[in-house]
Amino acid sequence: MADTSELYKYFEPTVQLNTLALSNIHTLTSWGVGTAAGILGLTGWNGFIFFLANWAVISALILFVKCQGKPSVYFKSSFMDVAGTPLFNTLLSYVLVWTLMHALVYIYD
């Protein structure tokens, strides 16, 4: 039988609200970073390295500033919720905005 202190450790609506806020932060920053990469004219691996560097910075800021270094207080699986899970979703948004902005800015090159 599960320990009752572990059973009532998280209030599910609050965890869902935190996850939604985290998803919004990652999505909006991926749009901004994708816009910057497109305007800067980054192509190929340079664009993906730019994304990974910015993703690491944003995840570290969320981890240490918003969660005060204790993500297990706000999320069930702590570090994976903050950094790992949203990686592929934000990568798709980043690539979409990156290619759109690059095509709009460098249309006649």
Side-chain angles (χ1 to χ4, degrees):
M1 183 145 198
D3 185 24
T4 56
S5 64
E6 189 66 32
L7 186 63
Y8 296 111
K9 186 175 181 180
Y10 297 103
F11 184 58
E12 193 61 35
T14 305
V15 172
Q16 289 176 353
L17 185 65
N18 292 341
T19 304
L20 178 64
L22 182 69
S23 175
N24 289 340
I25 290 170
H26 276 291
T27 301
L28 292 174
T29 56
S30 72
W31 290 352
V33 170
T35 300
I39 291 172
L40 290 172
L42 299 177
T43 57
W45 288 109
N46 291 334
F48 286 108
I49 292 169
F50 186 69
F51 167 75
L52 289 174
N54 281 291
W55 173 79
V57 168
I58 295 299
S59 294
L61 284 173
I62 292 169
L63 185 66
F64 294 113
V65 175
K66 292 299 281 182
C67 295
Q68 291 113 18
K70 298 178 233 165
S72 61
V73 173
Y74 304 99
F75 303 100
K76 287 184 178 177
S77 63
S78 66
F79 181 74
M80 282 306 293
D81 279 343
V82 174
T85 305
L87 176 65
F88 294 108
N89 294 335
T90 57
L91 179 63
L92 294 175
S93 298
Y94 168 79
V95 169
L96 176 74
V97 175
W98 173 30
T99 54
L100 174 69
M101 286 299 148
H102 190 273
L104 289 175
V105 172
Y106 298 99
I107 192 166
Y108 295 113
D109 283 349

